[in-house]
Amino acid sequence: MPPPPPPSVAGKAACFLSFAAARDRCFSRRFLAAGLRPLAVHLPDAADPVTTVHMWVPASPPRNPLVLLHGFGASATWQWYPYLRPLIAAGFDPIVPDLVFFGNSCSRLPDRSDMFQAWSIKAALDSIGVTRFGLVGVSYGGFVGYRMAAIYPDAVERVALVCTGVCLEEKDLADGLFPVASVDEAAALLVPRRPDEVRRLVRLTFVRPPPIMPSCFLWDYIKVMGSDHIQEKTELLHALISGRELSTLPKIKQKTLILWGEQDKVFPVELAHRLKRHLDGNARLAVIYNAGHAVNLEKPNDVCKSIIDFFHEPPAEVSNEEMV
């Protein structure tokens, strides 16, 4: 748990209604207004809910389901709210889960692997009758989405990966490819516990970060959105990175769109080219200028248009040409 704010900060925080909580409610209202409803799926069954997956699902049975997997940070609503109406207008039925240990999803099981995350999301989708779907994953969500595509090839039709460093190797940290040199440093970066750590993360992930980030607002964000499951999230990163080698990464067979921010400092664009090579011509790479790791939030219109165009293409027209 993060340490409590000093008295001066606590006093300032008490002077305003929680901005993070109000923003969270606003995002939930956007999901409701778009025709989605919240659903808690208990796995393996409601009598003994060892794992609970929270999802936003269409009110009617989806005809063209598109699963959206978020990255590290707040719950799924914070990362996907700009995409709902454009995707729905384009004919898609978004399904937006909280990954396990994010938002309202949790588990009593000890497994922290991306394979466990993939199984949890797939089981939740099966429970609502969604057996075939397109998939979009951002950063960590892309690791989970990639694993789903590998182990459920008959279910995942096509994949879009946004700033997903799935081809990273643990040795890349020591080699200086990333802004951190160890898994522990990566966990400290991606699971911030203090305002200065939040500022560092924002400045690394955005090309144009907010010029002013008051500590009282950052403490509020940490308390409301970032204080749950800190240990579990740290363990997720250790399970994801420790001992990782490209030689053990399976090659998915689905047509794949790789989207990347040109100035990504968390997962440098070298990893995008590495992934494209790994997939042997079965992937298309689109690099978006003036965007960093948070390209999905910095350039939502560009990212959303790329996703819509990719999933609308007939199979014969999907190519591996590189776009910028």
Side-chain angles (χ1 to χ4, degrees):
M1 295 289 289
S8 60
V9 172
K12 291 178 182 179
C15 293
F16 63 91
L17 181 67
S18 170
F19 176 76
R23 195 166 177 81
D24 189 51
R25 289 192 296 270
C26 177
F27 293 150
S28 294
R29 286 195 293 269
R30 290 196 186 191
F31 273 63
L32 291 169
L36 276 67
R37 61 184 179 88
L39 176 68
V41 178
H42 302 299
L43 308 172
D45 58 61
D48 183 20
V50 174
T51 299
T52 297
V53 175
H54 177 271
M55 301 190 295
W56 288 89
V57 300
S60 302
R63 293 174 297 178
N64 189 14
L66 186 63
V67 177
L68 309 177
L69 300 180
H70 63 85
F72 260 72
S75 64
T77 55
W78 286 62
Q79 299 185 30
W80 290 115
Y81 71 90
Y83 293 79
L84 299 180
R85 292 196 179 278
L87 289 175
I88 292 170
F92 298 100
D93 296 305
I95 299 174
V96 190
D98 286 323
L99 296 172
V100 180
F101 301 121
F102 296 87
N104 292 318
S105 296
C106 60
S107 178
R108 291 190 278 115
L109 296 175
D111 197 335
R112 302 290 183 261
S113 66
D114 56 344
M115 187 169 292
F116 171 68
Q117 292 274 13
W119 172 83
S120 299
I121 299 302
K122 179 62 166 59
L125 293 170
D126 287 342
S127 74
I128 62 172
V130 175
T131 58
R132 287 184 62 80
F133 49 88
L135 192 149
V136 184
V138 171
S139 193
Y140 177 69
F143 282 80
V144 178
Y146 192 97
R147 186 65 63 181
M148 290 179 69
I151 61 181
Y152 305 115
D154 294 333
V156 180
E157 297 176 328
R158 221 177 261 193
V159 184
L161 303 173
V162 184
C163 292
T164 298
V166 72
C167 278
L168 73 86
E169 298 185 283
E170 184 178 5
K171 69 181 184 63
D172 290 329
L173 279 72
D175 291 344
L177 184 62
F178 305 117
V180 295
S182 68
V183 182
D184 287 333
E185 282 190 59
L189 173 66
L190 295 174
V191 190
R193 306 185 189 199
R194 301 181 60 86
D196 59 318
E197 295 171 345
V198 177
R199 291 189 188 96
R200 183 191 178 203
L201 179 60
V202 171
R203 287 166 181 156
L204 274 173
T205 53
F206 285 81
V207 170
R208 294 181 179 84
I212 300 175
M213 290 179 273
S215 291
C216 58
F217 286 100
L218 298 182
W219 277 120
D220 174 55
Y221 172 82
I222 292 169
K223 179 181 178 181
V224 174
M225 302 304 302
S227 61
D228 291 338
H229 303 299
I230 287 178
Q231 181 60 35
E232 290 87 350
K233 291 174 182 175
T234 300
E235 292 168 359
L236 290 176
L237 286 170
H238 277 271
L240 191 71
I241 300 174
S242 297
R244 192 177 187 93
E245 296 181 349
L246 181 59
S247 61
T248 63
L249 183 71
K251 295 182 179 182
I252 60 176
K253 303 302 182 182
Q254 297 88 340
K255 294 296 183 181
T256 303
L257 172 65
I258 305 169
L259 282 166
W260 224 272
E262 172 213 10
Q263 299 183 47
D264 191 337
K265 297 177 182 177
V266 176
F267 290 144
V269 73
E270 157 59 23
L271 292 179
H273 296 286
R274 189 185 293 181
L275 177 56
K276 185 183 176 186
R277 292 192 297 268
H278 182 72
L279 294 181
D280 292 335
N282 203 38
R284 170 191 300 173
L285 170 60
V287 179
I288 299 178
Y289 282 133
N290 299 318
H293 186 69
V295 62
N296 59 307
L297 296 177
E298 284 193 294
K299 296 293 183 72
N301 293 337
D302 293 345
V303 172
C304 193
K305 183 179 185 304
S306 295
I307 290 171
I308 291 171
D309 290 347
F310 172 70
F311 282 96
H312 271 170
E313 288 176 351
E317 294 184 15
V318 176
S319 70
N320 65 345
E321 294 178 359
E322 184 168 322
M323 305 179 299
V324 177

